[in-house]
Amino acid sequence: MVGASVPMVELSMYTHAGGQLDRLCQAVGFDPEERRHLDLLRLLLGESGELTVDAPAQFPCNVADDTTPVEFSVAFDANGECVVRVLGESVGAPDPRAFLAQVAGEYGLVTDRLDAVADLFLPHDERRGPFTLWYSLIFRNGSAPKIKVYLNPQISGPTMADSLVSEGFRRLNLGEAFDPVVEHALRRGESDNFTFFALDLDDDPLSRVKVYVSHGAAEAEDAVRAAELVPGADPMLIREFLAVLGGGKGPFEGRPLVSSYSFVEGMGGTPGNYSLYLPIRSYVPDDEIARARVHAILAQYDFDPTQLDKALAAVSERPLRDGVGLIAHVSLRMGEFGSGITVYLSSEAYAVAPPRKRPVLGRIT
């Protein structure tokens, strides 16, 4: 809530999510006078941002479990920096690229790579799958915001996903990348699937093309094999990450584990980074236990766990034991382009998922 004196029924989606984002940025030490994060969020939400959150969502959205069109994340980087990000969708907009047209000039966006693959992932005929175009708004203290787009490899149906990713790589001068990704991450038939194809929209020398693979009912060793494609990825860290956060070595039969690879033009088929995403909300009974597990993994990497608590307080006032999904998923990043832990937080603007029953511990006699 924005304030105890403001009833939830009076809040628009923008007011609710904007308040959360503003408090989140300040909680990790951003300049309180900075307003660009709010400007971008308002433009991203568009007219749907003015709808009140007490009414059911008018447009389907898969960004979050409760159909809220935004999700927050805090990236804890090994260099000591905290990065705040918003994953969001312009729901109900007739043209999913309209947001880009509004902000491209002011923020110096470079859309050449998106233009090169737009006919693959943004077709004009019938679309399928859970989404068409998502945006990631990336905020660093003292720096101009950056923007990334997420495209849907299954936009023309699951059977076309491999072909779209292969052709997308080819058009972006990364044709050598496809076969190694398939060899390492899509080894189990229909259990492994391309989920996202993402592009940084800037001209930084390390501007990335990222591809994401979902692993249904995977074991820890499936993630280890996927990570072997990236030089220097430590299999022991992957096993420990899943054991601490997921409670074991698998199989992870709830929401799937996800692998992602980051490619930079000129590196051939070798990705510079590997990330593993665990949807922790499927593997804990409530957010109090999720918080304890994330505290443990942050401490293992020498990150300050109190930063997580500040972020949680910025997004929600509810007791953590009263729901599950505020802490939606957690990722481990390893590789040449930086390492760290990212924690993803739900807005819960529309609903809070009820907690599951905690396991009963045996009595010690």
Side-chain angles (χ1 to χ4, degrees), residues 30 75-83 139-141 143 303 333:
F30 286 17
F76 298 87
D77 290 344
N79 64 7
E81 185 178 33
C82 271
V83 181
F139 306 108
R140 290 178 169 85
N141 193 25
S143 300
F303 296 124
R333 291 173 282 116

Side-chain angles (χ1 to χ4, degrees), residues 70-81:
V70 296
E71 177 188 71
F72 309 109
S73 63
V74 179
F76 298 87
D77 290 344
N79 64 7
E81 185 178 33

Side-chain angles (χ1 to χ4, degrees), residues 196-269:
F196 304 107
F197 192 88
L199 306 168
D200 288 341
L201 300 183
D202 57 64
D203 58 0
D204 189 285
L206 296 181
S207 185
R208 303 159 302 168
V209 175
K210 296 186 69 175
V211 66
Y212 297 71
V213 178
S214 293
H215 306 292
E219 304 271 359
E221 293 309 304
D222 295 312
V224 168
R225 281 188 284 270
E228 288 174 352
L229 182 56
V230 176
D234 189 334
M236 185 57 66
L237 295 181
I238 291 172
R239 296 184 184 107
E240 290 176 350
F241 176 81
L242 293 175
V244 172
L245 294 175
K249 61 181 181 180
F252 294 93
E253 296 178 325
R255 293 175 178 85
L257 303 181
V258 176
S259 293
S260 78
Y261 301 101
S262 298
F263 297 90
V264 172
E265 188 173 356
M267 293 186 66

Side-chain angles (χ1 to χ4, degrees), residues 8-27:
M8 177 66 77
V9 295
E10 296 181 6
L11 297 181
S12 68
M13 177 59 71
Y14 168 72
T15 302
H16 177 75
Q20 291 173 312
L21 176 59
D22 198 34
R23 293 191 298 273
L24 184 57
C25 287
Q26 293 187 42

Side-chain angles (χ1 to χ4, degrees), residues 4-181:
S5 62
V6 182
M8 177 66 77
V9 295
E10 296 181 6
L11 297 181
S12 68
M13 177 59 71
Y14 168 72
T15 302
H16 177 75
Q20 291 173 312
L21 176 59
D22 198 34
R23 293 191 298 273
L24 184 57
C25 287
Q26 293 187 42
V28 300
F30 286 17
D31 182 356
E33 300 302 317
E34 175 63 68
R35 311 309 291 170
R36 287 178 293 186
H37 56 292
L38 296 177
D39 294 338
L40 280 170
L41 180 64
R42 182 186 290 276
L43 290 172
L44 176 61
L45 292 175
E47 293 182 3
S48 67
E50 301 307 314
L51 301 175
T52 59
V53 297
D54 65 310
Q58 294 189 6
F59 306 101
C61 181
N62 293 87
V63 168
D65 293 341
D66 71 334
T67 74
T68 301
V70 296
E71 177 188 71
F72 309 109
S73 63
V74 179
F76 298 87
D77 290 344
N79 64 7
E81 185 178 33
C82 271
V83 181
V84 173
R85 296 180 296 196
V86 178
L87 178 66
E89 181 179 7
S90 296
V91 295
D95 179 3
R97 295 188 63 175
F99 170 70
L100 284 184
Q102 291 178 287
V103 302
E106 180 177 355
Y107 291 97
L109 304 186
V110 179
T111 63
D112 293 357
R113 291 189 297 192
L114 176 59
D115 297 336
V117 300
D119 63 305
L120 298 175
F121 297 100
L122 302 174
H124 295 292
D125 54 0
E126 182 181 358
R127 298 167 181 171
R128 308 175 193 176
F131 77 102
T132 300
L133 183 63
W134 287 351
Y135 295 94
S136 179
L137 314 178
I138 305 164
F139 306 108
R140 290 178 169 85
N141 193 25
S143 300
K146 291 190 175 184
I147 296 176
K148 179 170 68 175
V149 292
Y150 288 82
L151 302 165
N152 183 2
Q154 300 190 31
I155 194 71
S156 297
T159 60
M160 291 296 294
D162 290 16
S163 297
L164 293 188
V165 172
S166 177
E167 177 62 13
F169 275 144
R170 187 193 67 80
R171 294 188 188 185
L172 299 175
N173 300 315
L174 292 168
E176 299 174 54
F178 182 76
D179 287 343
V181 168

